[in-house]
Amino acid sequence: MKKNLILVINPGSTSTKIAVFKGEDCIYGDTLLHDSKEINRYETIYAQKEMRTSKILTWIKDKKLSLKDFCAIVGRGGLIRPLPGGTYKVTPSMIEDLKVGYQGQHASNLGGIIAYEIATDLNIHAFVVDPVSVDEMEDIARISGMPEIERKSLGHPLNIKAVTRYICDKLDKEFYNSSYVVVHLGGGISVVPVKCGKIIDVNNANEEGPFSPERVGGLPTGDVVRLAFSKKYTYKEFQKKIIGKGGLVGYIGTNDVRLIEKKIDEGDKKAELVLKAMAYQTGKEIGAMAAVLKGQVDAIILTGGISHSKRIVNWITNMVNFIAPIEVMPGEMEMLALAQGALRIINNKEKVKIYEEEVHLQNDQKF
Protein backbone atom coordinates (compact mmCIF):
# COMPACT_ATOMS: atom_id res chain seq x y z
CA MET A 1 0.00 0.00 0.00
CA LYS A 2 2.36 2.67 -1.27
CA LYS A 3 1.57 6.18 -2.49
CA ASN A 4 -2.13 5.51 -3.07
CA LEU A 5 -3.79 7.26 -0.14
CA ILE A 6 -5.36 10.73 -0.06
CA LEU A 7 -5.55 12.75 3.15
CA VAL A 8 -8.53 15.09 3.35
CA ILE A 9 -8.61 18.00 5.81
CA ASN A 10 -11.72 20.11 6.48
CA PRO A 11 -11.29 22.64 9.31
CA GLY A 12 -14.35 24.07 11.07
CA SER A 13 -14.68 26.69 13.78
CA THR A 14 -14.29 24.25 16.71
CA SER A 15 -13.29 21.03 14.95
CA THR A 16 -11.21 19.58 12.14
CA LYS A 17 -12.75 16.82 10.04
CA ILE A 18 -10.13 14.44 8.71
CA ALA A 19 -10.34 11.39 6.46
CA VAL A 20 -8.13 8.99 4.56
CA PHE A 21 -9.33 7.77 1.17
CA LYS A 22 -8.15 4.93 -1.03
CA GLY A 23 -9.78 5.79 -4.30
CA GLU A 24 -13.34 6.85 -3.40
CA ASP A 25 -13.42 4.57 -0.37
CA CYS A 26 -13.02 6.28 3.00
CA ILE A 27 -10.91 3.88 5.08
CA TYR A 28 -10.56 6.19 8.09
CA GLY A 29 -12.52 9.25 9.16
CA ASP A 30 -12.75 11.30 12.32
CA THR A 31 -13.59 14.68 13.76
CA LEU A 32 -10.89 16.26 15.93
CA LEU A 33 -12.58 18.52 18.46
CA HIS A 34 -11.03 21.78 19.68
CA ASP A 35 -12.19 23.18 22.98
CA SER A 36 -13.47 26.76 22.71
CA LYS A 37 -11.01 27.86 25.41
CA GLU A 38 -8.19 26.40 23.33
CA ILE A 39 -9.41 28.19 20.19
CA ASN A 40 -9.86 31.49 22.01
CA ARG A 41 -6.16 31.53 22.95
CA TYR A 42 -5.32 32.39 19.36
CA GLU A 43 -5.73 35.93 18.07
CA THR A 44 -6.11 34.88 14.43
CA ILE A 45 -7.28 31.87 12.45
CA TYR A 46 -3.79 31.44 10.99
CA ALA A 47 -2.28 31.26 14.47
CA GLN A 48 -4.14 27.95 14.98
CA LYS A 49 -2.13 26.27 12.22
CA GLU A 50 0.50 24.55 14.35
CA MET A 51 -2.01 23.30 16.92
CA ARG A 52 -4.31 21.79 14.30
CA THR A 53 -1.45 20.35 12.22
CA SER A 54 0.04 18.68 15.27
CA LYS A 55 -3.29 17.02 16.11
CA ILE A 56 -3.68 15.78 12.54
CA LEU A 57 -0.19 14.26 12.48
CA THR A 58 -0.79 12.63 15.87
CA TRP A 59 -4.05 11.15 14.56
CA ILE A 60 -2.24 9.71 11.52
CA LYS A 61 0.40 8.18 13.80
CA ASP A 62 -2.26 6.71 16.08
CA LYS A 63 -3.85 5.02 13.05
CA LYS A 64 -0.43 3.45 12.32
CA LEU A 65 -0.39 5.05 8.89
CA SER A 66 2.82 6.08 7.17
CA LEU A 67 2.99 9.55 5.66
CA LYS A 68 4.95 7.97 2.80
CA ASP A 69 1.77 6.18 1.68
CA PHE A 70 0.01 9.44 0.74
CA CYS A 71 -0.01 10.61 -2.87
CA ALA A 72 -1.89 13.87 -2.24
CA ILE A 73 -3.23 16.08 0.55
CA VAL A 74 -6.52 17.92 -0.01
CA GLY A 75 -7.74 20.82 2.11
CA ARG A 76 -11.05 22.65 2.21
CA GLY A 77 -10.69 25.84 0.19
CA GLY A 78 -11.21 29.06 2.11
CA LEU A 79 -12.15 32.67 1.44
CA ILE A 80 -9.61 33.39 -1.27
CA ARG A 81 -10.09 35.51 -4.39
CA PRO A 82 -13.07 34.89 -6.70
CA LEU A 83 -12.24 32.06 -9.10
CA PRO A 84 -13.83 29.41 -11.35
CA GLY A 85 -14.70 26.03 -9.88
CA GLY A 86 -12.31 23.10 -10.08
CA THR A 87 -9.37 21.48 -8.33
CA TYR A 88 -6.49 23.85 -7.62
CA LYS A 89 -2.87 23.15 -6.78
CA VAL A 90 -2.01 25.04 -3.61
CA THR A 91 0.67 27.62 -4.41
CA PRO A 92 2.54 30.25 -2.36
CA SER A 93 0.30 33.03 -3.72
CA MET A 94 -2.80 31.14 -2.60
CA ILE A 95 -1.21 30.59 0.81
CA GLU A 96 -0.71 34.34 1.23
CA ASP A 97 -4.39 35.01 0.48
CA LEU A 98 -5.44 32.25 2.86
CA LYS A 99 -3.26 33.71 5.62
CA VAL A 100 -4.80 37.17 5.41
CA GLY A 101 -8.31 35.90 4.65
CA TYR A 102 -8.71 37.76 1.36
CA GLN A 103 -12.53 37.68 1.55
CA GLY A 104 -12.81 37.12 5.28
CA GLN A 105 -11.63 35.09 8.24
CA HIS A 106 -12.92 31.52 8.46
CA ALA A 107 -11.46 28.26 9.75
CA SER A 108 -11.69 26.80 6.23
CA ASN A 109 -8.81 29.12 5.30
CA LEU A 110 -6.56 26.69 7.19
CA GLY A 111 -7.46 23.76 4.92
CA GLY A 112 -5.11 24.72 2.10
CA ILE A 113 -2.46 26.02 4.49
CA ILE A 114 -2.20 22.78 6.49
CA ALA A 115 -2.42 20.63 3.35
CA TYR A 116 0.42 22.60 1.77
CA GLU A 117 2.64 22.32 4.85
CA ILE A 118 2.23 18.54 5.14
CA ALA A 119 2.50 17.96 1.37
CA THR A 120 5.64 20.09 1.02
CA ASP A 121 7.46 17.99 3.61
CA LEU A 122 6.45 14.84 1.68
CA ASN A 123 7.26 16.30 -1.76
CA ILE A 124 3.72 15.64 -3.02
CA HIS A 125 0.94 17.94 -4.25
CA ALA A 126 -1.59 19.77 -2.09
CA PHE A 127 -4.97 20.67 -3.55
CA VAL A 128 -8.12 22.58 -2.71
CA VAL A 129 -11.41 21.80 -4.47
CA ASP A 130 -14.26 24.21 -5.30
CA PRO A 131 -13.45 26.78 -2.58
CA VAL A 132 -16.12 28.89 -0.90
CA SER A 133 -15.13 31.78 -3.19
CA VAL A 134 -15.97 29.99 -6.46
CA ASP A 135 -17.31 32.70 -8.78
CA GLU A 136 -18.85 31.70 -12.11
CA MET A 137 -21.64 34.27 -12.05
CA GLU A 138 -22.72 35.81 -15.31
CA ASP A 139 -22.11 39.56 -15.55
CA ILE A 140 -25.82 40.38 -15.57
CA ALA A 141 -26.20 38.65 -12.19
CA ARG A 142 -23.63 40.94 -10.55
CA ILE A 143 -25.72 44.10 -10.90
CA SER A 144 -27.34 44.89 -7.55
CA GLY A 145 -29.30 48.05 -8.27
CA MET A 146 -26.81 50.28 -6.43
CA PRO A 147 -23.57 51.12 -8.30
CA GLU A 148 -21.50 51.08 -5.10
CA ILE A 149 -22.52 47.47 -4.33
CA GLU A 150 -21.86 44.43 -6.50
CA ARG A 151 -23.55 41.10 -5.85
CA LYS A 152 -21.02 38.50 -4.71
CA SER A 153 -20.72 34.79 -5.33
CA LEU A 154 -20.35 33.17 -1.92
CA GLY A 155 -22.13 29.95 -1.05
CA HIS A 156 -21.60 26.20 -0.73
CA PRO A 157 -19.98 25.29 -4.08
CA LEU A 158 -18.11 22.19 -2.87
CA ASN A 159 -21.20 20.31 -1.75
CA ILE A 160 -23.40 21.81 -4.48
CA LYS A 161 -21.14 20.61 -7.30
CA ALA A 162 -20.56 17.23 -5.66
CA VAL A 163 -24.28 16.43 -5.30
CA THR A 164 -24.92 17.72 -8.82
CA ARG A 165 -22.32 15.29 -10.20
CA TYR A 166 -23.94 12.50 -8.18
CA ILE A 167 -27.43 13.27 -9.49
CA CYS A 168 -26.06 13.51 -13.05
CA ASP A 169 -24.76 9.96 -12.72
CA LYS A 170 -28.08 8.82 -11.25
CA LEU A 171 -30.11 10.40 -14.07
CA ASP A 172 -27.56 9.45 -16.76
CA LYS A 173 -26.97 13.12 -17.57
CA GLU A 174 -23.74 14.85 -18.55
CA PHE A 175 -22.48 17.26 -15.85
CA TYR A 176 -21.35 19.75 -18.50
CA ASN A 177 -24.54 19.43 -20.57
CA SER A 178 -27.44 19.69 -18.11
CA SER A 179 -29.05 22.23 -15.78
CA TYR A 180 -30.24 22.11 -12.17
CA VAL A 181 -31.46 24.28 -9.34
CA VAL A 182 -29.54 23.16 -6.27
CA VAL A 183 -30.56 24.12 -2.73
CA HIS A 184 -28.13 23.76 0.18
CA LEU A 185 -30.23 23.79 3.36
CA GLY A 186 -27.87 24.43 6.26
CA GLY A 187 -26.97 27.18 8.72
CA GLY A 188 -27.29 29.38 5.65
CA ILE A 189 -29.45 28.56 2.63
CA SER A 190 -27.87 28.77 -0.82
CA VAL A 191 -30.06 28.43 -3.91
CA VAL A 192 -28.15 28.26 -7.18
CA PRO A 193 -28.73 27.55 -10.86
CA VAL A 194 -26.08 25.12 -12.14
CA LYS A 195 -25.81 25.34 -15.92
CA CYS A 196 -23.37 23.11 -17.79
CA GLY A 197 -21.32 22.58 -14.66
CA LYS A 198 -21.14 26.25 -13.67
CA ILE A 199 -22.88 28.11 -10.83
CA ILE A 200 -24.11 31.06 -12.87
CA ASP A 201 -25.93 32.90 -10.06
CA VAL A 202 -26.25 32.54 -6.29
CA ASN A 203 -27.93 34.19 -3.36
CA ASN A 204 -25.11 35.03 -0.96
CA ALA A 205 -26.55 33.21 2.06
CA ASN A 206 -25.14 35.86 4.41
CA GLU A 207 -26.98 38.70 2.72
CA GLU A 208 -29.72 37.56 0.35
CA GLY A 209 -32.34 34.94 -0.32
CA PRO A 210 -34.33 32.95 2.24
CA PHE A 211 -33.82 33.45 5.95
CA SER A 212 -32.26 30.41 7.58
CA PRO A 213 -31.58 28.97 11.05
CA GLU A 214 -29.20 31.82 12.02
CA ARG A 215 -29.31 34.38 9.18
CA VAL A 216 -31.89 36.95 8.15
CA GLY A 217 -31.61 36.57 4.37
CA GLY A 218 -32.96 39.39 2.22
CA LEU A 219 -34.71 42.18 4.18
CA PRO A 220 -36.75 45.30 3.30
CA THR A 221 -33.90 47.77 2.82
CA GLY A 222 -35.71 50.86 4.10
CA ASP A 223 -36.49 49.22 7.42
CA VAL A 224 -32.91 47.90 7.68
CA VAL A 225 -31.51 51.41 7.21
CA ARG A 226 -33.86 52.88 9.81
CA LEU A 227 -33.00 50.20 12.34
CA ALA A 228 -29.26 50.50 11.66
CA PHE A 229 -29.38 54.25 12.33
CA SER A 230 -31.71 54.02 15.32
CA LYS A 231 -28.69 54.01 17.70
CA LYS A 232 -30.13 50.93 19.43
CA TYR A 233 -27.22 48.77 18.31
CA THR A 234 -23.48 49.00 17.78
CA TYR A 235 -22.10 47.92 14.43
CA LYS A 236 -21.05 44.53 15.85
CA GLU A 237 -24.40 44.02 17.58
CA PHE A 238 -26.25 44.75 14.35
CA GLN A 239 -23.99 42.39 12.42
CA LYS A 240 -24.80 39.69 14.96
CA LYS A 241 -28.53 40.27 14.47
CA ILE A 242 -28.03 39.65 10.75
CA ILE A 243 -25.76 36.59 11.05
CA GLY A 244 -25.98 34.57 14.22
CA LYS A 245 -29.13 35.87 15.88
CA GLY A 246 -31.34 36.17 12.81
CA GLY A 247 -33.70 33.72 11.15
CA LEU A 248 -35.07 30.93 13.31
CA VAL A 249 -32.91 32.03 16.26
CA GLY A 250 -34.46 35.49 16.16
CA TYR A 251 -38.05 34.26 16.01
CA ILE A 252 -37.94 31.08 18.08
CA GLY A 253 -34.68 31.21 20.04
CA THR A 254 -33.03 28.12 18.53
CA ASN A 255 -31.31 27.11 15.29
CA ASP A 256 -32.15 23.43 15.79
CA VAL A 257 -34.87 22.44 13.31
CA ARG A 258 -35.48 19.20 15.21
CA LEU A 259 -36.43 21.14 18.35
CA ILE A 260 -38.68 23.42 16.33
CA GLU A 261 -40.45 20.44 14.76
CA LYS A 262 -40.98 19.03 18.23
CA LYS A 263 -42.62 22.33 19.20
CA ILE A 264 -44.86 22.08 16.13
CA ASP A 265 -45.85 18.53 17.04
CA GLU A 266 -46.80 19.86 20.47
CA GLY A 267 -49.11 22.45 18.91
CA ASP A 268 -46.87 25.56 18.71
CA LYS A 269 -48.50 27.56 15.88
CA LYS A 270 -45.88 30.31 15.85
CA ALA A 271 -43.10 27.76 15.38
CA GLU A 272 -45.04 26.20 12.51
CA LEU A 273 -45.64 29.55 10.82
CA VAL A 274 -41.99 30.62 11.04
CA LEU A 275 -40.57 27.29 9.86
CA LYS A 276 -43.06 27.17 7.00
CA ALA A 277 -42.08 30.75 6.09
CA MET A 278 -38.46 29.62 5.73
CA ALA A 279 -39.58 26.85 3.37
CA TYR A 280 -41.84 29.35 1.54
CA GLN A 281 -38.96 31.77 0.96
CA THR A 282 -36.79 28.89 -0.23
CA GLY A 283 -39.48 27.86 -2.72
CA LYS A 284 -39.69 31.42 -4.04
CA GLU A 285 -35.92 31.52 -4.52
CA ILE A 286 -36.02 28.21 -6.40
CA GLY A 287 -38.60 29.73 -8.75
CA ALA A 288 -36.35 32.73 -9.34
CA MET A 289 -33.34 30.56 -10.14
CA ALA A 290 -35.46 28.38 -12.45
CA ALA A 291 -36.22 31.60 -14.34
CA VAL A 292 -32.46 32.20 -14.67
CA LEU A 293 -32.33 28.83 -16.46
CA LYS A 294 -35.34 29.86 -18.60
CA GLY A 295 -37.25 26.91 -17.20
CA GLN A 296 -34.80 24.37 -18.63
CA VAL A 297 -34.29 22.46 -15.37
CA ASP A 298 -33.42 18.75 -15.36
CA ALA A 299 -34.02 18.46 -11.61
CA ILE A 300 -34.28 20.45 -8.38
CA ILE A 301 -31.80 19.08 -5.85
CA LEU A 302 -32.28 19.56 -2.10
CA THR A 303 -29.22 18.89 0.06
CA GLY A 304 -27.66 19.94 3.37
CA GLY A 305 -28.55 18.98 6.94
CA ILE A 306 -32.05 20.47 6.96
CA SER A 307 -33.09 18.31 4.01
CA HIS A 308 -33.33 15.47 6.57
CA SER A 309 -36.62 17.14 7.57
CA LYS A 310 -39.46 15.48 5.65
CA ARG A 311 -41.77 18.30 6.72
CA ILE A 312 -39.61 21.02 5.14
CA VAL A 313 -38.87 18.92 2.05
CA ASN A 314 -42.62 18.36 1.54
CA TRP A 315 -43.42 22.07 1.96
CA ILE A 316 -40.80 23.02 -0.63
CA THR A 317 -41.76 20.18 -2.97
CA ASN A 318 -45.42 21.20 -2.99
CA MET A 319 -44.39 24.69 -4.13
CA VAL A 320 -41.93 23.84 -6.88
CA ASN A 321 -42.48 20.31 -8.23
CA PHE A 322 -44.30 21.82 -11.24
CA ILE A 323 -40.89 23.10 -12.39
CA ALA A 324 -38.91 19.85 -12.41
CA PRO A 325 -38.54 16.53 -10.55
CA ILE A 326 -37.21 16.80 -6.98
CA GLU A 327 -34.08 14.93 -5.89
CA VAL A 328 -33.23 14.87 -2.17
CA MET A 329 -29.71 14.20 -0.89
CA PRO A 330 -29.75 14.86 2.87
CA GLY A 331 -26.58 15.97 4.65
CA GLU A 332 -23.38 16.77 2.82
CA MET A 333 -20.61 14.89 1.05
CA GLU A 334 -17.78 17.38 1.41
CA MET A 335 -15.06 14.91 2.46
CA LEU A 336 -15.78 12.61 -0.48
CA ALA A 337 -16.06 15.64 -2.78
CA LEU A 338 -12.58 16.80 -1.75
CA ALA A 339 -11.12 13.34 -2.39
CA GLN A 340 -12.92 13.08 -5.74
CA GLY A 341 -11.51 16.44 -6.81
CA ALA A 342 -7.97 15.18 -6.23
CA LEU A 343 -8.75 11.86 -7.92
CA ARG A 344 -9.94 13.60 -11.08
CA ILE A 345 -6.47 15.15 -11.35
CA ILE A 346 -4.56 12.01 -10.39
CA ASN A 347 -6.55 9.94 -12.92
CA ASN A 348 -6.15 12.59 -15.65
CA LYS A 349 -9.89 13.20 -15.93
CA GLU A 350 -9.42 16.93 -15.32
CA LYS A 351 -6.59 19.39 -15.65
CA VAL A 352 -5.37 20.89 -12.39
CA LYS A 353 -5.96 24.63 -12.14
CA ILE A 354 -3.30 27.11 -11.10
CA TYR A 355 -4.43 29.89 -8.78
CA GLU A 356 -2.27 32.61 -10.32
CA GLU A 357 -3.63 31.82 -13.79
CA GLU A 358 -7.30 31.88 -12.79
CA VAL A 359 -7.87 34.61 -10.22
CA HIS A 360 -8.55 38.23 -11.08
CA LEU A 361 -7.06 41.17 -9.23
CA GLN A 362 -8.33 44.73 -9.31
CA ASN A 363 -8.56 46.03 -12.87
CA ASP A 364 -8.76 42.38 -14.00
CA GLN A 365 -4.99 41.97 -13.89
CA LYS A 366 -3.49 38.58 -13.12
CA PHE A 367 -0.80 37.73 -10.61
Side-chain angles (χ1 to χ4, degrees), residues 180-221:
Y180 305 87
V181 176
V182 187
V183 185
H184 181 96
L185 295 160
I189 296 177
S190 296
V191 184
V192 308
V194 180
K195 181 180 180 182
C196 300
K198 292 185 177 182
I199 298 173
I200 61 171
D201 199 348
V202 59
N203 65 288
N204 178 348
N206 286 340
E207 299 175 354
E208 299 179 298
F211 72 81
S212 65
E214 299 179 343
R215 308 174 196 180
V216 299
L219 292 174
T221 53

Side-chain angles (χ1 to χ4, degrees), residues 1 5 20 28 59-61 63-67 69-70:
M1 189 168 66
L5 300 182
V20 176
Y28 295 105
W59 180 87
I60 292 171
K61 185 177 179 180
K63 295 297 180 185
K64 303 189 184 313
L65 294 168
S66 171
L67 289 170
D69 292 336
F70 290 100

Side-chain angles (χ1 to χ4, degrees), residues 170-364:
K170 177 183 175 181
L171 302 179
D172 197 26
K173 300 281 187 179
E174 291 289 335
F175 180 65
Y176 294 107
N177 193 31
S178 52
S179 299
Y180 305 87
V181 176
V182 187
V183 185
H184 181 96
L185 295 160
I189 296 177
S190 296
V191 184
V192 308
V194 180
K195 181 180 180 182
C196 300
K198 292 185 177 182
I199 298 173
I200 61 171
D201 199 348
V202 59
N203 65 288
N204 178 348
N206 286 340
E207 299 175 354
E208 299 179 298
F211 72 81
S212 65
E214 299 179 343
R215 308 174 196 180
V216 299
L219 292 174
T221 53
D223 291 331
V224 172
V225 171
R226 281 189 287 274
L227 191 57
F229 282 87
S230 68
K231 298 184 179 179
K232 291 181 179 179
Y233 307 99
T234 66
Y235 178 76
K236 286 187 176 180
E237 287 171 342
F238 201 67
Q239 274 191 318
K240 194 66 176 177
K241 281 187 72 67
I242 292 172
I243 304 172
K245 293 185 177 180
L248 298 180
V249 172
Y251 283 101
I252 306 174
T254 179
N255 62 2
D256 191 329
V257 169
R258 293 166 299 181
L259 293 179
I260 295 172
E261 290 196 294
K262 185 179 178 183
K263 287 176 178 287
I264 294 172
D265 292 338
E266 293 170 350
D268 189 327
K269 296 300 182 184
K270 177 185 176 183
E272 182 177 26
L273 177 64
V274 171
L275 193 66
K276 196 168 187 177
M278 187 176 79
Y280 169 81
Q281 290 194 5
T282 302
K284 279 206 305 182
E285 194 73 10
I286 291 169
M289 294 308 184
V292 171
L293 295 171
K294 300 180 175 63
Q296 302 300 308
V297 184
D298 289 290
I300 295 166
I301 305 171
L302 306 181
T303 186
I306 296 176
S307 59
H308 283 289
S309 167
K310 291 182 180 179
R311 179 184 268 114
I312 292 175
V313 167
N314 288 338
W315 282 337
I316 295 172
T317 298
N318 289 337
M319 284 186 70
V320 301
N321 61 359
F322 73 95
I323 298 171
I326 310 296
E327 297 285 344
V328 184
M329 285 199 64
E332 49 83 15
M333 51 188 298
E334 289 182 344
M335 302 302 278
L336 175 59
L338 290 167
Q340 288 173 331
L343 282 169
R344 288 193 292 272
I345 304 305
I346 293 167
N347 296 330
N348 296 314
K349 291 185 176 180
E350 256 182 37
K351 184 179 179 182
V352 69
K353 293 188 175 181
I354 306 300
Y355 188 61
E356 293 84 347
E357 295 175 359
E358 298 288 346
V359 300
H360 294 273
L361 302 176
Q362 292 179 353
N363 302 321
D364 284 335

